[in-house]
Amino acid sequence: NQKPVQVKLVLLGEAAVGKSSVVLRFVQNDFQEYKEPTIGAAFLTQKCRLEDKVIKFEIWDTAGQERFRSLAPMYYRNALSAVVVYDITSSSSFDKAKSWVKELQRQASPNVIIALVGNKLDLVEKSEENEDYLDDVASFDQNAVSEPSQTHSRAISRDEAQAYAEESNLLFFETSAKTSEGVVEVFTEIAKKIPHE
Ligand code: GDP
Ligand code: MG
């Protein structure tokens, strides 16, 4: 039995991108369609067992609202890892994520591990599958398929975010807190990058 390595992790990102939902999925494997906004910050812990070590994440889930912005340094100052979340259907949330990354790279600890997370993948996945399908049938019979009923469309392509993450030295993931796709991977990949004690 190994003693867990404690790792402080902070979540940052615009309000309503799904920070608390990603944490809720990771910690309790649960999702709430109407999640109440976080006030100030919430604290949760969860362990991540790897083959050679156990990481205990001490998670600070911050509020995204502008009026809480001045509190953020308190949470990221001695964090070993940061998860910066945006909503893949919102380009303003991606801009906001980039500004958090910049701030972290200037102000947080120099060896902080940063993961960029594009959340709400479920909102676009259905319509993207549909588009592929429409491409396939387009030359065959235009009238065979009705328009997809999805109202959400992707604002930030996976390629654009991936390229930005690479040039900025970030881990990168797309997730859905709703379906749980990709969520555990975020924390597992961060855990793998934590140096042994
Ligand atoms: P936060 O302000 O960044 O912590 O965002 P919340 O976790 O409070 O989520 C804001 C809203 O988005 C809530 O209504 C959630 O149910 C919803 N939400 C969060 N993650 C997802 C997701 O992956 N897919 C969908 N469809 N909705 C999500
Ligand atoms: Mg929240």
Side-chain angles (χ1 to χ4, degrees), residues 148-164:
S149 59
Q150 281 289 340
T151 51
H152 297 273
S153 58
R154 186 188 270 276
I156 304 298
S157 73
R158 193 185 289 255
D159 286 352
E160 177 183 356
Q162 179 101 53
Y164 165 70

Side-chain angles (χ1 to χ4, degrees), residues 14-22 31-38 61 119-123 175-178:
E14 196 173 80
V17 296
K19 298 177 294 299
S20 300
S21 298
V22 166
F31 178 76
Q32 294 168 358
E33 205 68 56
Y34 303 100
K35 185 121 187 54
E36 73 288 355
T38 311
D61 171 23
N119 188 42
K120 306 199 183 182
L121 189 52
D122 60 283
L123 290 181
T175 62
S176 166
K178 185 168 180 173

Side-chain angles (χ1 to χ4, degrees), residues 60-78:
W60 287 98
D61 171 23
T62 66
Q65 293 91 333
E66 217 34 64
R67 65 197 158 107
F68 294 118
R69 190 176 171 107
S70 59
L71 299 178
M74 226 164 61
Y75 297 107
Y76 67 63
R77 195 167 294 135
N78 43 37

Side-chain angles (χ1 to χ4, degrees), residues 56-112:
K56 184 184 179 194
F57 283 112
E58 301 178 332
I59 302 169
W60 287 98
D61 171 23
T62 66
Q65 293 91 333
E66 217 34 64
R67 65 197 158 107
F68 294 118
R69 190 176 171 107
S70 59
L71 299 178
M74 226 164 61
Y75 297 107
Y76 67 63
R77 195 167 294 135
N78 43 37
L80 202 52
S81 56
V83 176
V84 179
V85 185
Y86 65 97
D87 168 351
I88 62 171
T89 69
S90 154
S91 55
S92 72
S93 76
F94 186 63
D95 293 339
K96 189 74 183 192
K98 284 175 160 177
S99 85
W100 277 120
V101 168
K102 242 188 227 155
E103 181 166 339
L104 286 168
Q105 290 179 334
R106 280 201 206 118
Q107 316 274 1
S109 102
N111 45 11
V112 65

